[in-house]
Amino acid sequence: DAGVIQSPRHEVTEMGQEVTLRCKPISGHNSLFWYRQTMMRGLELLIYFNNNVPIDDSGMPEDRFSAKMPNASFSTLKIQPSEPRDSAVYFCASSLPSGSYEQYFGPGTRLTVT
Amino acid sequence: KNQVEQSPQSLIILEGKNCTLQCNYTVSPFSNLRWYKQDTGRGPVSLTIMTFSENTKSNGRYTATLDADTKQSSLHITASQLSDSASYICVVSPRSNYGQNFVFGPGTRLSVLP
């Protein structure tokens, strides 16, 4: 198995532009998570899905952020419009649908908004 | 307020030595506690997952302990190797209907020197 796949690995964009991050979970995993990591705030859970349905999006910072999971093998995290304070590493992770199962993280997307 | 604290913030040890990392939490009731290892530039990798009824769990040279009464956990690394240099993150899941909520610690940065 290739593991969790994220693209792009690096993204540099100007303030105000739309940014779309992509994630392909491990086949057979029903839960998908989006995280953000910064030096100041550490790792933060933004949103997670069970069976393609968003369960908890309380970690999404504001309306500029949105996430979708149109099918079991694909999810996107969109920021529109982007701001410099959105600069961070965004991780996607997947797991079997239970709080006790391991989460497998992707390599992350490093986003820089100038 | 649910919080997870870790100590020390950073640690430097010589190769071959043992070390112990600490995690204190105020999350209650909680579902499970996880330790992750995160290499620089990569996503976190799960080391151990413990439920509230477990006292210890090992994964090779890594041994995690849990005292649910004092709300403390530790991660002990035996015979450290250069490859153990990484950040170690303690994550506690509050018991909820979803079982997927997480409270993250700030991490301990471990450096193993030759």
Side-chain angles (χ1 to χ4, degrees), chain A residues 35 37 48 56 91 99 101 103, chain B residues 32 34 38 98-99 102 104:
Chain A
Y35 293 89
Q37 187 174 40
Y48 71 88
D56 185 353
F91 289 104
Y101 284 108
Q103 290 190 20
Chain B
N32 58 72
R34 308 162 187 240
Q38 185 175 21
Y98 305 133
F102 304 102
F104 293 87

Side-chain angles (χ1 to χ4, degrees), chain B residues 58-77:
Chain B
S58 292
N59 179 1
R61 294 179 298 102
Y62 301 99
T63 299
T65 64
L66 174 63
D67 187 333
D69 291 331
T70 61
K71 295 184 174 55
Q72 294 180 328
S73 176
S74 65
L75 180 68
H76 186 75
I77 304 174

Side-chain angles (χ1 to χ4, degrees), chain A residues 4-62:
Chain A
V4 175
I5 299 173
Q6 291 187 247
S7 64
R9 292 296 309 278
H10 302 273
E11 177 79 31
V12 180
T13 190
E14 292 184 346
M15 182 175 63
Q17 297 297 306
E18 176 181 302
V19 175
T20 299
L21 312 181
R22 297 173 176 80
C23 174
K24 176 179 169 56
I26 293 173
S27 177
H29 283 188
N30 300 72
S31 294
L32 183 139
F33 308 79
W34 282 102
Y35 293 89
R36 177 173 67 176
Q37 187 174 40
T38 61
M39 288 292 292
M40 290 296 294
R41 301 174 66 93
L43 202 60
E44 303 172 282
L45 176 65
L46 300 177
I47 184 172
Y48 71 88
F49 297 82
N50 275 352
N51 296 316
N52 312 337
V53 177
I55 301 301
D56 185 353
D57 64 353
S58 60
M60 296 286 263
E62 50 197 272

Side-chain angles (χ1 to χ4, degrees), chain A residues 9-10 37 89 91 106-108 110, chain B residues 38-44 109:
Chain A
R9 292 296 309 278
H10 302 273
Q37 187 174 40
V89 180
F91 289 104
R110 180 172 293 278
Chain B
Q38 185 175 21
D39 293 316
T40 301
R42 309 191 72 164
R109 178 70 199 176

Side-chain angles (χ1 to χ4, degrees), chain B residues 5-86:
Chain B
E5 298 178 346
Q6 292 187 244
S7 62
Q9 185 176 23
S10 61
L11 181 63
I12 301 174
I13 61 174
L14 294 177
E15 185 179 13
K17 298 296 185 182
N18 303 336
C19 68
T20 300
L21 313 180
Q22 299 291 343
C23 173
N24 297 332
Y25 61 92
T26 60
V27 178
S28 183
F30 88 102
S31 175
N32 58 72
L33 184 147
R34 308 162 187 240
W35 282 94
Y36 285 96
K37 177 188 179 188
Q38 185 175 21
D39 293 316
T40 301
R42 309 191 72 164
V45 174
S46 178
L47 293 176
T48 62
I49 302 173
M50 290 186 291
T51 65
F52 64 90
S53 61
E54 296 179 288
N55 295 323
T56 185
K57 184 162 283 189
S58 292
N59 179 1
R61 294 179 298 102
Y62 301 99
T63 299
T65 64
L66 174 63
D67 187 333
D69 291 331
T70 61
K71 295 184 174 55
Q72 294 180 328
S73 176
S74 65
L75 180 68
H76 186 75
I77 304 174
T78 304
S80 61
Q81 300 177 358
L82 298 179
S83 59
D84 293 331
S85 295

